[in-house]
Amino acid sequence: MKNNRFTAKIAKIPRRRESGQAMVMVLVLLVLGSLVLAPVLSLINNSLKNGQVYQQKTDENYAAKSGIEDATWQIRNDQLPSLFHSPDYEPYDYNTVWSYYLDEPVNGLMTNVSVQNIWLLKDIPVLSPSQARAIIESNKLMVTGDTVQTGIPLAGGSQISRYEAKYTYYPDDGEDLTVAAFGVWLPRGFSYYTDATHKSSLETSPISGHPVMVATSQWAGNQAVIWNYASPPHFDDFPSEGVLPVIMSFTFYFKCDDQTQPSLEPYAVPWIKTGNGLDYGIPYSWNADIKVYKVRSAVGETVVESYFAKSELRQLQQAIAGDYYATGNSNLSDSDGDHNRETWHDPSTAAVTGDNIPTDADVAYAFLYWSGWENENAATTIISDPSGGSGSWPWTAGSLWSIASGRFQGRGDPGGTTADRTLTAAGSLALAEYAYGTVTVSMELSRGGTLENSDALYYAISNNGGSTWSGNIQICYGNNVPGTFSFEVPKTYAKAGFMLRFYQTLDSSSEHIYINNLMVTATTPDTSVVFKINDGTGFKQVYLDASGEPKQGSQELNATRSQVLPNYSGSSPHGFSYSSFCDVTKLVRKYSQAPVDPAVNWPGYATYSVGGIYASASPEDEWAYANWSLIIIYTSPATQGHQLYLFDNFIYSNQNTSSGVNVDFDGDGEPGGYISGFIVPPRITGVAGVTVSNGGYGYTSAPTVTFVGNGTGAKATAEIANGKVTRIIVTNAGQGYTSPPSVILTGGGGGGAAAQALLDANAAKLTTYMGEGDVWYQNDYIAMNGVKLWDGTNTADNSKNNPDNVFNSTSLGLGSYDGIDIDTLGIDPPNGQYITWDSHILSPGDTYARIDMVTHTDIWNMIYIIISFRSETSMGGILSYRIINGMY
């Protein structure tokens, strides 16, 4: 019922008539729509086009940035020489622009990348590659620099820093270098600072008569500062230190433009313009360790341009890129406690494993040394006392020479010709067969009567049977006639035609000089050993054939170089010691264990055996020793960026029980010595290594390694065995870490592994190989730049706080027999702290180090010193970054 009523009610609604009003509205809307539709469609169309352009620009931008990132990787990892050809990449070419395309499209676009070396020396013409290389690689005038003080506060709350530029000059005789100008380039983000209080030391300590003018200007992306001299002063007018080399430095102040980080340090490039250096081959020089690259990445109309700085220590003199491990053992030891080494260990062995050298390493060089001591009976007598009438070496005597009582007698006379005063061997001696050893001429001397200072005795030698002679060399004069005299025949005279003559200037018949027991002897080294290598399948005896190729067989390994030194107890002869050397790189690379098969790298893992070293053990003598050492120098992604200096001049210490002996290390006639030819780099702030504290469990594949901390760029890979993480290898050290980053291990199907990152505390490490050190004699040490270094062992009178017995026949970590010291010395070697940055033994920019090797009672022989400086390539960050023709 209700529904019917509702329906009826609706049916009764009255109808209205249609009057056409809706049609009008529709027509109006159509007109308005026609006016609006075209612009709207156009807007939509434009929006679509703009979106496509925006997307294209975005794709180009990302592709161009990828080019910058790729170039950064190429530069950081030293790939430019292998990347660029036609022409080949040349680090000293500042004109060529090298380019390449990325291997794969990015966002479907091809990216072209170009790299150019940037010349930073303002107002100095760009040199040719050969000119620039000749200047830098001569090492004659080396320029370095580093920030020496940061955080110097200024009024208003800002801060400045002080920079030191250092100049190391090796002058030849007669050189008198003058200086026309000093300069420095500061990268973006840094600017030169000066005020009434903070001026460069060139201004605060001026050279009299040589006023200096300072000017700053925009240059190479930021700023150059130049100190010009209208009248060039002499290099030695500046405050300096040293004799050879001569080192001068000056300081100035700079400001970091980002005052939120006022302690940032620039990759600055100091240089010097000489006044007359063209005459010496050094018209200019600069800090070649800082290299700046202009990188340009182009995709379509978008170009990204950036400048990068890289700090990398240059290759200098005997420096070798890589790192090293030194091992070895003794073949002769003391087994009964009487301080005499009488027990042979022939052969002795030493192992090289993954604990010593990374698995991804490759042997670059392997050097084997062996050394021993022999008593006087081991010397070869070539001629014995010909003055006694044996006739084995006849002599021609002038009228003022005769044989009296079995001695050569020289008689004085106020007249007498040169021929009268000369005593000459009538025949020559064949000494060529003793080329590896040392030939010594010795004699006893005495006088008769009173001699004046004008009365002298000389000798001269010949290497060609008397056709030509050396100059006369004085033996003695006046009453200063020694009881004995000897001299070593120089290698250039130890030939088949060796001859000797004497000349005297006595001028009174009452004056006589006597020569007795004239002897020519040869001390010869052991020039071959039995060398074996066990790669895990048994020992194999190996050697190098006549062509230098590696062979396996019963032949002994021959030395390529040997050195012999006479030993003395005070002034009394006491046998001789020798050192022999052979480059065994080919043997180690061929016969040591390869980590994988087929081998792609050879880290040198093996047990090495050396036998057949000659030495005198009977009769027993406290000086007796026989030992060997192997140095393996290797390259590795985890250890790139070291510079090595190997010094292997054989040195004998002698002794002075009261005052001590500071061994003349460099042979300049002064106590101590210097190692030079390197440059200490800025402090390295990358991850040096990772130690595994817990291997975890159940890993089926190696987990990913991630570093989290206050630096950037560190990368590493993990290795597993039996489900555990066994080792983590750093593949990129990164930079900017002030504290060790956290190590996070993810993936691999396991869990529980933990590790700690390590920052490199060391500016350098130094290893010495010494023969015949004695633990029972104290008060001997090695110091670098005045700081005593510890060998890491606690022995008699020797500890971390008192390293006063480092020549103690104990080698940390080697487990060798006594009678050898192969020590990596430093502040705290057991904890991996050697020449640490914090010790300030070495500072950035140092180009030499003083070495003092002091002994009192102990006598020893130094076979080598090897020193490794950190110089890991590090990126200086983006100096500038801009996009050309791009959207931003």
Side-chain angles (χ1 to χ4, degrees):
M1 290 294 294
K2 290 182 179 179
N3 288 340
N4 289 338
R5 288 178 182 174
F6 181 71
T7 303
K9 186 182 262 188
I10 292 176
K12 292 180 180 180
I13 295 175
R15 297 174 179 264
R16 295 189 177 97
R17 292 185 299 174
E18 297 179 2
S19 62
Q21 294 176 358
M23 179 63 71
V24 174
M25 294 180 64
V26 170
L27 292 174
V28 171
L29 291 174
L30 286 174
V31 172
L32 293 174
S34 65
L35 295 174
V36 174
L37 182 59
V40 170
L41 292 175
S42 177
L43 178 62
I44 293 172
N45 183 53
N46 288 338
S47 296
L48 291 173
K49 289 181 178 180
N50 288 339
Q52 291 174 344
V53 172
Y54 185 92
Q55 182 63 46
Q56 181 180 354
K57 288 294 185 181
T58 301
D59 290 345
E60 289 179 356
N61 180 36
Y62 282 120
K65 288 182 178 179
S66 297
I68 296 294
E69 292 176 0
D70 186 80
T72 302
W73 185 91
Q74 302 285 354
I75 293 170
R76 176 184 290 117
N77 291 279
D78 300 317
Q79 296 300 305
L80 299 187
S82 59
L83 180 65
F84 294 129
H85 302 284
S86 300
D88 290 340
Y89 176 76
E90 165 58 62
Y92 295 104
D93 184 343
Y94 301 96
N95 293 308
T96 301
V97 179
W98 291 271
S99 64
Y100 68 101
Y101 283 93
L102 296 189
D103 292 337
E104 298 180 358
V106 179
N107 295 328
L109 302 170
M110 295 303 296
T111 304
N112 180 260
V113 183
S114 64
V115 178
Q116 181 181 9
N117 302 318
I118 300 300
W119 180 253
L120 297 173
L121 283 63
K122 191 176 187 301
D123 299 334
I124 293 177
V126 177
L127 300 177
S128 69
S130 60
Q131 291 172 322
R133 181 181 292 277
I135 290 172
I136 295 302
E137 295 187 354
S138 72
N139 305 322
K140 187 176 181 65
L141 178 57
M142 295 189 292
V143 183
T144 58
D146 192 48
T147 302
V148 295
Q149 186 178 6
T150 60
I152 303 171
L154 295 174
S158 62
Q159 297 183 27
I160 60 174
S161 301
R162 189 168 74 240
Y163 187 94
E164 181 181 46
K166 184 180 293 186
Y167 303 82
T168 304
Y169 175 40
Y170 291 82
D172 291 329
D173 290 341
E175 288 187 0
D176 189 13
L177 188 69
T178 60
V179 178
F182 294 106
V184 66
W185 175 81
L186 291 170
R188 183 164 296 186
F190 302 89
S191 56
Y192 177 66
Y193 183 87
T194 184
D195 61 23
T197 304
H198 303 93
K199 291 184 177 295
S200 72
S201 59
L202 297 175
E203 299 168 87
T204 58
S205 301
I207 306 301
S208 178
H210 302 278
V212 63
M213 297 166 287
V214 188
T216 61
S217 59
Q218 293 301 114
W219 178 249
N222 196 47
Q223 188 180 61
V225 190
I226 299 177
W227 292 264
N228 269 304
Y229 291 94
S231 171
H234 297 275
F235 190 89
D236 56 12
D237 287 339
F238 296 91
S240 61
E241 57 180 293
V243 177
L244 189 67
V246 181
I247 300 173
M248 67 82 56
S249 62
F250 77 91
T251 59
F252 66 89
Y253 297 88
F254 69 87
K255 185 175 182 180
C256 177
D257 298 336
D258 182 2
Q259 283 300 302
T260 64
Q261 303 181 75
S263 296
L264 290 178
E265 300 179 14
Y267 278 154
V269 179
W271 71 82
I272 181 174
K273 179 181 179 181
T274 63
N276 61 350
L278 184 62
D279 297 336
Y280 312 136
I282 44 173
Y284 327 104
S285 190
W286 63 97
N287 185 359
D289 304 325
I290 306 297
K291 298 178 176 65
V292 176
Y293 303 87
K294 178 182 179 180
V295 179
R296 191 173 185 269
S297 179
V299 181
E301 295 182 353
T302 299
V303 177
V304 178
E305 188 176 275
S306 185
Y307 288 80
F308 294 96
K310 182 176 74 170
S311 174
E312 183 183 68
L313 193 63
R314 74 193 79 174
Q315 193 87 348
L316 295 176
Q317 295 181 8
Q318 300 182 53
I320 307 169
D323 207 354
Y324 73 90
Y325 176 68
T327 189
N329 211 334
S330 174
N331 291 43
L332 189 61
S333 69
D334 174 25
S335 60
D336 57 12
D338 64 353
H339 297 177
N340 298 319
R341 299 181 185 90
E342 74 295 317
T343 302
W344 281 99
H345 311 279
D346 191 53
S348 63
T349 63
V352 177
T353 69
D355 292 333
N356 313 126
I357 298 176
T359 57
D360 61 354
D362 207 25
V363 173
Y365 300 94
F367 299 148
L368 180 67
Y369 296 83
W370 61 95
S371 182
W373 176 85
E374 300 201 41
N375 59 31
E376 291 86 347
N377 296 331
T380 300
T381 300
I382 302 171
I383 287 294
S384 176
D385 195 18
S387 58
S390 66
S392 57
W393 196 16
W395 292 74
T396 299
S399 63
L400 296 180
W401 285 95
S402 62
I403 295 179
S405 303
R407 302 175 295 176
F408 286 127
Q409 174 184 268
R411 175 175 56 84
D413 191 281
T417 65
T418 299
D420 295 334
R421 297 178 178 277
T422 302
L423 173 69
T424 306
S428 60
L429 297 181
L431 302 183
E433 62 181 292
Y434 307 105
Y436 271 122
T438 298
V439 178
T440 302
V441 177
S442 62
M443 64 202 75
E444 296 176 358
L445 300 173
S446 58
R447 64 178 174 85
T450 301
L451 307 185
E452 297 85 25
N453 288 343
S454 60
D455 299 325
L457 177 66
Y458 302 86
Y459 76 89
I461 53 178
S462 171
N463 61 5
N464 52 21
S467 296
T468 60
W469 291 87
S470 70
N472 285 330
I473 303 168
Q474 189 177 82
I475 297 175
C476 59
Y477 68 94
N479 288 325
N480 303 309
V481 178
T484 60
F485 175 79
S486 65
F487 67 89
E488 180 180 323
V489 177
K491 297 295 184 185
T492 53
Y493 283 87
K495 305 292 184 181
F498 175 77
M499 290 183 65
L500 171 68
R501 73 183 182 190
F502 297 95
Y503 173 72
Q504 52 94 354
T505 61
L506 279 60
D507 58 6
S508 171
S509 60
S510 63
E511 300 170 343
H512 297 83
I513 190 80
Y514 299 97
I515 301 174
N516 193 25
N517 289 326
L518 176 66
M519 298 185 70
V520 182
T521 59
T523 51
T524 55
D526 178 9
T527 58
S528 66
V529 290
V530 177
F531 185 47
K532 297 181 180 181
I533 301 177
N534 184 351
D535 64 355
T537 62
F539 281 103
K540 303 177 182 66
Q541 184 170 341
V542 296
Y543 64 95
L544 297 169
D545 66 15
S547 300
E549 295 304 313
K551 301 292 182 181
Q552 180 180 347
S554 60
Q555 184 171 321
E556 291 195 0
L557 178 71
N558 292 318
T560 56
R561 185 178 75 245
S562 295
Q563 302 172 76
V564 176
L565 292 173
N567 289 188
Y568 295 90
S569 177
S571 59
S572 300
H574 195 89
F576 66 94
S577 53
Y578 68 85
S579 169
S580 293
F581 163 87
C582 184
D583 183 338
V584 294
T585 305
K586 291 182 178 180
L587 295 173
V588 171
R589 287 185 62 85
K590 182 170 183 177
Y591 295 108
S592 64
Q593 178 183 350
V596 295
D597 189 18
V600 294
N601 70 300
W602 294 83
Y605 298 165
T607 299
Y608 297 91
S609 166
V610 178
I613 300 176
Y614 288 155
S616 297
S618 179
E620 293 186 12
D621 195 296
E622 189 174 304
W623 293 24
Y625 76 91
N627 48 51
W628 61 274
S629 177
L630 176 68
I631 301 174
I632 293 180
I633 296 170
Y634 60 88
T635 59
S636 161
T639 54
Q640 289 178 350
H642 289 77
Q643 294 289 328
L644 307 186
Y645 181 90
L646 177 62
F647 185 96
D648 61 359
N649 281 352
F650 193 40
I651 294 174
Y652 172 70
S653 69
N654 213 325
Q655 63 179 182
N656 186 318
T657 56
S658 58
S659 302
V661 175
N662 187 358
V663 175
D664 180 8
F665 178 77
D666 56 357
D668 63 354
E670 298 294 329
Y674 292 88
I675 290 179
S676 61
F678 58 84
I679 301 177
V680 178
R683 183 168 187 168
I684 305 302
T685 58
V687 173
V690 181
T691 59
V692 177
S693 58
N694 191 328
Y697 55 88
Y699 287 94
T700 57
S701 61
T704 300
V705 182
T706 305
F707 294 98
V708 177
N710 56 2
T712 60
K715 296 180 181 179
T717 59
E719 295 180 353
I720 62 169
N722 299 321
K724 295 182 178 181
V725 175
T726 56
R727 179 162 48 177
I728 295 176
I729 299 174
V730 177
T731 58
N732 193 325
Q735 62 178 338
Y737 294 95
T738 56
S739 59
S742 299
V743 182
I744 300 175
L745 303 172
T746 56
Q756 292 84 40
L758 303 173
L759 299 186
D760 199 335
N762 298 306
K765 65 176 180 179
L766 178 151
T767 299
T768 60
Y769 167 27
M770 301 286 187
E772 211 288 293
D774 297 313
V775 69
W776 48 86
Y777 294 128
Q778 295 86 47
N779 204 11
D780 48 64
Y781 63 85
I782 291 182
M784 176 182 282
N785 290 339
V787 179
K788 290 184 180 180
L789 306 178
W790 183 37
D791 68 339
T793 67
N794 290 291
T795 52
D797 199 37
N798 187 63
S799 63
K800 177 180 178 180
N801 295 325
N802 183 43
D804 215 28
N805 186 11
V806 298
F807 311 126
N808 53 27
S809 287
T810 306
S811 303
L812 180 67
L814 293 186
S816 59
Y817 302 109
D818 74 281
I820 186 174
D821 277 289
I822 302 177
D823 298 321
T824 301
L825 302 138
I827 300 300
D828 189 6
N831 292 307
Q833 295 186 16
Y834 302 108
I835 315 298
T836 62
W837 296 103
D838 293 337
S839 69
H840 302 295
I841 296 173
L842 292 171
S843 299
D846 284 353
T847 56
Y848 71 97
R850 178 175 178 82
I851 303 293
D852 293 300
M853 296 189 295
V854 176
T855 187
H856 283 70
T857 304
D858 207 355
I859 290 175
W860 38 261
N861 297 268
M862 190 205 83
I863 295 90
Y864 68 68
I865 288 179
I866 185 169
I867 185 168
S868 169
F869 297 93
R870 277 304 304 263
S871 59
E872 183 177 16
T873 298
S874 60
M875 299 299 294
I878 298 173
L879 301 180
S880 66
Y881 194 101
R882 61 192 178 100
I883 301 174
I884 305 172
N885 296 329
M887 297 187 62
Y888 305 108

